[in-house]
Amino acid sequence: MNKKYSDFFNPEMETMTRPQIEKLQLERLQATVAHCMNSPFYKKRFEDNGISPSDIKTLDDLRKIPFTTKQDLRDTYPFGIASAPLDRCVRLHSSSGTTGNPTVILHTQKDLDEWANAVARCLWMVGCRPGDVFQNTSGYGMFTGGLGFQYGAERVGMLTVPAAAGNTKRQLKFFTDFGTTVVHAIPSYATRMFEVMEEEGIDPRRDTRLKTLVIGAEPHSDEQRRRIEQMLGVKAYNSFGMSEMCGPGVAFECREQNGMHIWEDYYIVEIVDPETLEPVPDGELGELVLTTLDREAMPLLRYRTRDLTRVLPGKCPCGREHKRLDRMQGRSDDMIILKGVNIFPIQIEQVLMKFKELGGNYLITLETLESNDEMTVEVELDQLFTDSFGRLQALEKKIARELHDEILVTPKVRLVPRGTLPVSEGKAVRVKDLRKKF
Ligand code: AMP
Ligand code: ZN
């Protein structure tokens, strides 16, 4: 590998060969499974299934262990899956589900240290260094994008600006006053910040030092990323994480921007068919299942994330052999079934983002009209787009045709002026399902 030592935050882990990765994974898996016997939940699971830690002799033996699901976390709310006593834990994060109990994730000090190391590794990989100014626009609190990035960015040695969510004009003032070079934002908010910059007469290339954007937490298309890069004059890197796996720092794009390296010293990756739960070959879409390898408070074995993605085959030119995950297609629960066709919101976004007349904000509404289920796609126009009514109508038709080619149903398309559609402070709400359930 013709890389310098300084290209890596953790050269030992980042430059491992595949056999070295697998050897370390087996050691860590065996230690994790043994440690899980301190968890009342896993102890019972193993007993009920007639397995014991000594059955895990190879990495393939992982498949003897049953999956852990979000429902398991809810059923054992709040602390029933923990493998460490509560007096060794120093923080918890909780994600609010829309139904039932929230899920709770506990951390010891060592867990938090490793989490910061993982996030620092990601940020270092895309060129963040001491001397950079890192501004985080995530909410600080239960959402892990706040504290997770905060400690990771500090570990890199950057000057951090914990701006937190909202108040866009203040965010922009921080950019210019503090010389922010790196920003973490969810994609919908990155677009929003640019719109406010335009309104305020701020040119990101002329008036700021922004060069790197970290975007994640919600599905977005490559088209959306390119658009954001173009608007802000930055390189934007996709960042994947989830509270159950700590938070951010699970998988991250390298400078090649072609798939997110998942850190295999921390996680074992499986991609399974969501119906049969059998593994699918590299390159095929399936549900991501993760096993933590380095967690004290709350290790999780074969956790079904519900996120759909694939492992990209082949080696990454950056030299890291840690597997690469493709951009998330969405969650299996986000899939829309309309007129018998399976549709992911991201497919719609990909089509919309190809039209330069359109802005970044859109809303898909599903409703039942005269006992037929219909889809309406409302999308904001870019800028203060003024054009004749006739041309707008023609554009709506063209978009509807292209959407049909992609999703095989013809939605109604409505172009609306910029700023019309709701903007949420957290993750964007892209789908409103008002269908009558018969
Ligand atoms: P939370 O636990 O609230 O942080 O939410 C985690 C979920 O956010 C994941 O399971 C994914 O569904 C979604 N998510 C996180 N990062 C990304 C990303 N880069 N692309 C798409 N979805 C993401
Ligand atoms: Zn790479």
Side-chain angles (χ1 to χ4, degrees):
M1 201 183 304
N2 56 353
K3 289 250 165 186
K4 297 192 300 291
Y5 197 75
S6 60
D7 287 334
F8 303 101
F9 181 75
N10 185 336
E12 190 193 341
M13 293 297 157
E14 286 174 74
T15 60
M16 277 193 295
T17 59
R18 184 113 303 262
Q20 288 169 329
I21 291 176
E22 289 177 3
K23 181 168 175 288
L24 180 71
Q25 283 190 321
L26 180 59
E27 283 163 22
R28 290 193 170 180
L29 174 65
Q30 288 171 328
T32 297
V33 169
H35 179 50
C36 280
M37 293 306 104
N38 295 312
S39 149
F41 167 83
Y42 278 121
K43 194 160 187 308
K44 181 162 186 316
R45 257 288 145 97
F46 272 56
E47 280 165 12
D48 290 350
N49 286 275
I51 44 173
S52 82
S54 59
D55 292 329
I56 309 300
K57 296 192 175 66
T58 66
L59 282 178
D60 284 341
D61 290 335
L62 177 66
R63 291 182 54 201
K64 295 180 178 163
I65 304 174
F67 294 102
T68 307
T69 63
K70 197 167 193 110
Q71 192 57 42
D72 292 325
L73 296 188
R74 293 207 170 110
D75 292 345
T76 54
Y77 176 85
F79 306 135
I81 293 195
S83 293
L86 270 190
D87 62 8
R88 295 225 24 244
C89 298
V90 297
R91 197 196 300 163
L92 66 77
H93 280 275
S94 159
S95 79
S96 60
T98 38
T99 50
N101 280 334
T103 53
V104 168
I105 305 295
L106 288 160
H107 301 273
T108 63
Q109 187 56 54
K110 177 171 173 288
D111 291 333
L112 294 182
D113 279 346
E114 282 306 329
W115 181 13
N117 284 334
V119 174
R121 193 193 290 183
C122 297
L123 292 170
W124 193 276
M125 178 164 68
V126 297
C128 299
R129 295 290 183 273
D132 274 313
V133 180
F134 177 88
Q135 186 165 327
N136 191 3
T137 68
S138 277
Y140 279 63
M142 288 303 195
F143 178 54
T144 53
L147 291 173
F149 269 107
Q150 180 63 31
Y151 287 108
E154 287 176 8
R155 188 134 310 173
V156 167
M158 293 188 279
L159 171 61
T160 59
V161 183
N167 200 339
T168 308
K169 285 190 187 157
R170 195 183 61 148
Q171 302 277 4
L172 304 187
K173 183 166 166 53
F174 289 168
F175 286 174
T176 47
D177 292 0
F178 303 147
T180 302
T181 54
V182 186
V183 179
H184 171 238
I186 55 176
S188 45
Y189 192 61
T191 306
R192 175 78 197 132
M193 284 193 294
F194 178 70
E195 288 173 0
V196 178
M197 278 185 188
E198 274 195 327
E199 283 158 25
E200 298 289 302
I202 299 172
D203 174 349
R205 289 178 175 78
R206 185 193 61 205
D207 304 322
T208 78
R209 293 176 60 216
L210 297 180
K211 58 174 189 189
T212 306
L213 181 71
V214 174
I215 44 173
E218 63 186 18
H220 56 288
S221 55
D222 198 45
E223 288 77 3
Q224 173 93 300
R225 178 251 292 276
R226 295 296 171 209
R227 189 180 260 255
I228 292 171
E229 285 189 323
Q230 225 276 323
M231 288 188 301
L232 293 172
V234 294
K235 278 272 178 208
Y237 297 97
N238 193 0
S239 153
F240 172 79
M242 63 190 328
S243 320
E244 296 92 320
M245 298 294 130
C246 279
V250 177
F252 212 89
E253 275 183 331
C254 65
R255 293 208 199 190
E256 300 293 325
Q257 294 186 307
N258 184 16
M260 299 178 282
H261 288 285
I262 176 149
W263 300 120
E264 292 186 84
D265 49 326
Y266 290 130
Y267 304 100
I268 295 182
V269 184
E270 295 172 88
I271 307 281
V272 302
D273 180 316
E275 302 284 319
T276 64
L277 300 180
E278 289 300 317
V280 302
D282 283 2
E284 266 184 39
L285 192 69
E287 180 179 337
L288 176 68
V289 171
L290 293 176
T291 297
T292 66
L293 291 177
D294 195 34
R295 288 269 289 285
E296 271 188 344
M298 216 169 128
L300 293 175
L301 305 175
R302 305 194 80 202
Y303 183 69
R304 287 188 61 183
T305 65
R306 303 270 166 194
D307 290 310
L308 300 173
T309 182
R310 70 190 100 229
V311 167
L312 294 177
K315 282 195 182 174
C316 183
C318 83
R320 291 173 185 81
E321 291 203 23
H322 296 257
K323 286 181 182 162
R324 285 170 304 158
L325 299 181
D326 197 3
R327 185 171 284 290
M328 300 290 144
Q329 190 72 27
R331 299 173 60 80
S332 47
D333 6 313
D334 291 341
M335 193 174 73
I336 300 168
I337 304 181
L338 186 75
K339 300 179 197 292
V341 183
N342 298 347
I343 303 162
F344 283 101
I346 202 87
Q347 293 176 277
I348 294 173
E349 178 179 303
Q350 271 162 2
V351 173
L352 297 179
M353 292 303 124
K354 285 189 197 140
F355 287 87
K356 62 177 184 345
E357 298 91 338
L358 304 181
N361 201 4
Y362 64 96
L363 180 67
I364 303 164
T365 305
L366 306 167
E367 52 199 331
T368 311
L369 301 171
E370 295 167 8
S371 50
N372 279 326
D373 287 344
E374 303 291 345
M375 173 190 284
T376 304
V377 177
E378 287 171 287
V379 53
E380 288 184 4
L381 286 161
D382 187 45
Q383 300 274 20
L384 308 163
F385 193 80
T386 45
D387 218 327
S388 71
F389 183 64
R391 281 208 32 200
L392 285 182
Q393 268 191 326
L395 182 58
E396 284 175 345
K397 282 214 179 95
K398 184 156 189 256
I399 297 167
R401 266 201 313 274
E402 296 217 1
L403 282 172
H404 174 269
D405 289 347
E406 174 66 32
I407 60 175
L408 308 178
V409 293
T410 310
K412 209 159 134 213
V413 174
R414 274 189 49 216
L415 300 174
V416 298
R418 191 158 101 175
T420 319
L421 296 175
V423 188
S424 55
E425 251 202 13
K427 303 187 189 203
V429 179
R430 300 295 195 195
V431 182
K432 224 164 64 182
D433 192 347
L434 309 173
R435 283 178 291 184
K436 290 201 189 97
K437 307 273 183 285
F438 295 103

